[in-house]
Amino acid sequence: MTTDTRERQAIRRSSNVPAYNQLAEILEQQIAALTDEERTRALPSEGDLSRQYGLSRITVRQALKTLEAKGLVYSAQGRGSFPTMPRVKGISGFHSFTSEVRRNGQEPSTRILATTEVDGLPKSVTEKLSVTEDENSPQVHLRRLRLIDGVPIAVEDAWLPKALFPDLAPADFNDGSLYALLADRWGLEPAWTDALIEPDRASPEVSKLLNIETDDPVLVAWRVTVTAEDKVFERVRSIYRPGFSLRVARYRLG
Amino acid sequence: MTTDTRERQAIRRSSNVPAYNQLAEILEQQIAALTDEERTRALPSEGDLSRQYGLSRITVRQALKTLEAKGLVYSAQGRGSFPTMPRVKGISGFHSFTSEVRRNGQEPSTRILATTEVDGLPKSVTEKLSVTEDENSPQVHLRRLRLIDGVPIAVEDAWLPKALFPDLAPADFNDGSLYALLADRWGLEPAWTDALIEPDRASPEVSKLLNIETDDPVLVAWRVTVTAEDKVFERVRSIYRPGFSLRVARYRLG
DNA sequence: GTTGACAGGTTGTTATGACATGCTAATGTC
DNA sequence: GACATTAGCATGTCATAACAACCTGTCAAC
C-alpha cells in the first residue's frame, strides 16, 4: 500500500494571483529543497508541467521565465530546464537586513540613533547618487545601528521621500522590519537598487558606534532603491565594520 | 517640404536573430539617446509597436520583457511602458574592465604580472566562494594590474577552468579584452556573477603595485562569474585602491 | 464647482496552434 | 566494435484570439 506523500499542490484558478506566479512559487519551493546532487537533473519538461497543472505551455513558460530572471533556473534548448547552483553565502546589504540575517540563522537587532525630518538631501548623497528629481523635497532621515547577535555591524543613514510615504512618522520605526511596514501600509516594495561601494577609514564617531579602532578599514555603500515603477524608495549610506562581507548574489551581466 | 529624417529601422525576418531581439536592440538604442525630460513620457504602446514593425503583440511584449529584465524600462498597467532613470555613474567591477572604462571616456590599460597553470584553487578562494564542483581541477591563473589613464586601480587574480577553455594559452592574454577573446574562440559569455565584498588594509606587496601606502584601506571583491547555462566562467579576487568606487547598477531585489 | 459614470486606450493573463532548432539516445550499417 | 543516421523529445519563436484589470480624460448630472 504505497501512498504518494507529496501532495501535489494545485493551481487555484479563482485566485487573483496569476497562475504563472502560483506555479513559479511552487517550483521555487521545490528547487530550494534540492540537494547539490539533485540540482544536476532537469526539471520536469514544459509539456509535463503543462499537463500536470492543467496550464497552457505559454503559462508554464512564463513561470519558468520568472525563475530565470531571478537566476534560479536556466533553460537549454533541446535538453530541458535546470536549477542553478548557489555560489556564495552571507548577508546582502541590499535586501531587508532583518529577514536576511534571520534566514542566515542569526539574530538581527537594530538600535535607532536618530529620526528627523529634513527639507532635502545632504550634498554627500546627491554627489554620489546623481540625483535629479527630488533633491530638495522633504525627506525622513533615519540613523540606525545594525547588529547581528549583539555585535554592531553597520551604521546606516537612510532618507525616505515624504512624497511617497505620506504620514510616515518617526514612531513607525520602532519595531520590526521597515520594509514590511512600508509594504503593508503603502503597498510599495523595493525592486531594484543602484549602489556605489568604496573603502574608507573609520571616523572617530563611527568607530565608537561599531566598537572598532579609529582608522580601521571600513566599507561604505551608497545606494538608491527604487520600486518596480522606478520611484525612489529610499537612499541609504551604510558603513560596515571590518571583517563583514557584503554579498552581491545573482547579479546580471551584459 | 518636411521629410522624416528618422528612417525607421525594419525587422529583418530572414535574419537568424529573433525578431524580439532586433526590436529590443532598436528600442534600447532609442532609449539610450533620450534626455531625462523625455524619459518621463511613455514609449509607443504595444499596439503601436506591433503595427509599426509588423509584429504580433506577443513578440513586442517579449522585446519589452527583455528590456525590463535589464532594468531599462518598466510597464504600468493601464498607462503604458516607460524608460527608467539612470541613478549612478562609475565603473562596475563586474563587467569587462576594458569596455567599461572606455565607455566612461577614460583609457584602460592592463599589465600582466603573472600567468601560470595550477592544479586547483587556492584555499582562500574556495573558502569565500563555496566551491563544490571543480575545486581540484586544472586552472589557468592570471594576475593583472588594472590601470585607468595610467593610474593603477586594482590588482586582479583570476582563475579560469581549463575544462571550459581547452588550449587556453598564456600568450592569449597579451592584448585586448579577455572576455572578447573567450567569446570569439569558445562562444562563452558571462551572464551572472556572485560576489563578496569586504574592506581590508593594503599589504606591502599590494601597496607597492597600487602606489599607495601600506595599511591604506582597500576594497576586496571575491567573485565567481557563470555563463547563462550556469557553468563557472572565472573566479576573481580584485583589490581596489582607496578612492575607487565600485558600481553595482540595476541589482534586482526580492 | 464637484462628483460620478463611462468610453476608450493601455497592459496583464491565458489559450491554441504551428513550425524551427537543438540535443540525446536508440537504431542500423559497416 | 565503431560510426553515421534518425526518431523523438526538449526548448525557441511567432501568430491569432479573447477577455480581465486598470488608468485617464470627457462629459453629464447634481
Side-chain angles (χ1 to χ4, degrees):
Chain A
M1 198 171 81
T2 61
T3 52
D4 192 350
T5 53
R6 279 176 332 192
E7 285 183 32
R8 180 175 301 131
Q9 298 174 61
I11 305 293
R12 297 183 308 280
R13 303 310 289 260
S14 59
S15 166
N16 52 350
V17 178
Y20 69 90
N21 270 340
Q22 294 183 47
L23 177 56
E25 215 161 303
I26 291 170
L27 292 176
E28 186 168 348
Q29 285 176 16
Q30 291 179 357
I31 290 169
L34 294 179
T35 63
D36 277 5
E37 172 67 23
E38 292 168 325
R39 270 168 207 275
T40 60
R41 286 196 280 276
L43 298 171
S45 76
E46 294 175 358
D48 287 348
L49 291 170
S50 172
R51 279 182 292 276
Q52 287 181 23
Y53 291 96
L55 300 168
S56 76
R57 194 177 149 220
I58 227 178
T59 305
V60 171
R61 279 179 69 79
Q62 213 164 343
L64 290 172
K65 272 286 176 206
T66 303
L67 299 181
E68 198 172 0
K70 287 189 182 183
L72 297 176
V73 306
Y74 69 91
S75 297
Q77 189 170 4
R79 294 200 292 131
S81 297
F82 301 82
T84 55
M85 292 281 178
R87 310 276 178 185
V88 292
K89 288 172 188 159
I91 291 158
S92 159
F94 303 135
H95 299 82
S96 158
F97 179 80
T98 310
S99 50
E100 277 272 326
V101 174
R102 259 202 206 110
R103 196 186 317 162
N104 215 38
Q106 296 171 297
E107 191 54 32
S109 56
T110 299
R111 198 190 312 155
I112 294 176
L113 303 176
T115 60
T116 57
E117 304 202 358
V118 292
D119 274 341
L121 295 163
K123 213 169 125 199
S124 59
V125 174
T126 57
E127 272 172 6
K128 292 288 176 182
L129 308 171
S130 47
V131 176
T132 56
E133 316 141 296
D134 49 4
E135 190 166 348
N136 293 313
S137 70
Q139 311 275 331
V140 176
H141 174 221
L142 177 58
R143 174 164 258 232
R144 290 177 290 188
L145 183 67
R146 302 292 211 173
L147 307 95
I148 298 180
D149 291 340
V151 179
I153 296 295
V155 180
E156 275 193 7
D157 286 284
W159 291 266
L160 298 140
K162 289 214 74 174
L164 208 59
F165 307 105
D167 312 319
L168 179 63
D172 293 326
F173 298 133
N174 284 340
D175 44 19
S177 165
L178 174 58
Y179 282 10
L181 171 76
L182 300 179
D184 277 358
R185 215 154 107 199
W186 289 276
L188 292 170
E189 285 185 28
W192 301 91
T193 194
D194 285 355
L196 282 181
I197 303 169
E198 55 191 20
D200 200 1
R201 293 182 196 276
S203 70
E205 186 193 1
V206 166
S207 61
K208 190 171 286 185
L209 286 167
L210 293 180
N211 199 23
I212 59 178
E213 300 292 323
T214 300
D215 287 343
D216 270 0
V218 293
L219 190 153
V220 182
W222 305 84
R223 54 183 227 273
V224 50
T225 301
V226 298
T227 66
E229 297 199 349
D230 204 42
K231 281 191 279 213
V232 172
F233 191 84
E234 62 170 356
R235 295 188 180 82
V236 183
R237 185 196 64 182
S238 303
I239 303 175
Y240 293 96
R241 69 174 301 138
F244 180 79
S245 297
L246 204 62
R247 179 172 133 260
V248 181
R250 296 277 103 183
Y251 180 61
R252 176 191 291 272
L253 304 171
Chain B
M1 201 172 76
T2 60
T3 52
D4 193 347
T5 52
R6 280 176 332 192
E7 287 183 28
R8 181 176 299 132
Q9 298 172 60
I11 305 292
R12 298 183 309 280
R13 303 309 290 259
S14 59
S15 166
N16 53 350
V17 178
Y20 69 90
N21 270 340
Q22 294 184 46
L23 177 56
E25 215 161 306
I26 292 171
L27 293 175
E28 185 168 347
Q29 284 176 16
Q30 292 178 357
I31 290 168
L34 295 178
T35 64
D36 277 5
E37 173 67 23
E38 292 168 324
R39 271 169 205 275
T40 61
R41 285 195 282 276
L43 298 173
S45 75
E46 295 175 359
D48 287 347
L49 291 171
S50 173
R51 280 182 291 276
Q52 287 180 23
Y53 290 96
L55 299 169
S56 77
R57 193 176 151 222
I58 227 178
T59 303
V60 171
R61 279 179 69 78
Q62 212 164 347
L64 290 171
K65 270 286 175 204
T66 304
L67 299 179
E68 198 172 0
K70 288 189 183 185
L72 297 176
V73 306
Y74 69 90
S75 296
Q77 187 170 4
R79 294 200 291 131
S81 296
F82 301 81
T84 55
M85 292 281 179
R87 309 278 178 184
V88 292
K89 289 173 188 159
I91 289 157
S92 158
F94 304 134
H95 299 81
S96 157
F97 179 80
T98 310
S99 50
E100 276 270 328
V101 174
R102 253 196 214 117
R103 195 187 319 163
N104 214 37
Q106 297 172 298
E107 190 54 31
S109 54
T110 299
R111 198 187 312 155
I112 295 176
L113 302 176
T115 61
T116 57
E117 305 202 357
V118 291
D119 274 340
L121 295 162
K123 214 169 122 196
S124 59
V125 174
T126 57
E127 272 171 6
K128 292 289 177 183
L129 308 171
S130 51
V131 176
T132 56
E133 314 142 297
D134 49 1
E135 190 168 343
N136 293 311
S137 71
Q139 311 274 331
V140 177
H141 173 221
L142 177 59
R143 173 165 258 230
R144 290 177 290 187
L145 183 68
R146 302 291 211 174
L147 306 95
I148 297 179
D149 293 338
V151 179
I153 296 295
V155 181
E156 274 193 8
D157 286 283
W159 291 267
L160 299 141
K162 289 213 72 175
L164 208 60
F165 307 106
D167 312 319
L168 179 62
D172 293 327
F173 299 133
N174 284 339
D175 42 20
S177 166
L178 174 58
Y179 281 11
L181 171 76
L182 300 179
D184 278 357
R185 217 155 106 201
W186 289 276
L188 292 171
E189 285 184 28
W192 300 91
T193 194
D194 286 354
L196 281 181
I197 303 169
E198 55 191 19
D200 201 359
R201 294 183 193 275
S203 70
E205 187 194 357
V206 166
S207 62
K208 190 171 288 183
L209 286 167
L210 293 180
N211 200 21
I212 59 178
E213 299 293 322
T214 300
D215 287 344
D216 271 0
V218 293
L219 190 152
V220 182
W222 304 83
R223 56 184 225 274
V224 49
T225 302
V226 298
T227 66
E229 298 201 348
D230 203 41
K231 282 190 279 210
V232 172
F233 191 84
E234 62 169 358
R235 295 187 179 83
V236 183
R237 185 197 64 185
S238 302
I239 303 175
Y240 293 95
R241 71 174 301 136
F244 180 79
S245 296
L246 203 62
R247 178 173 133 261
V248 181
R250 296 278 103 182
Y251 179 60
R252 178 191 289 274
L253 304 171

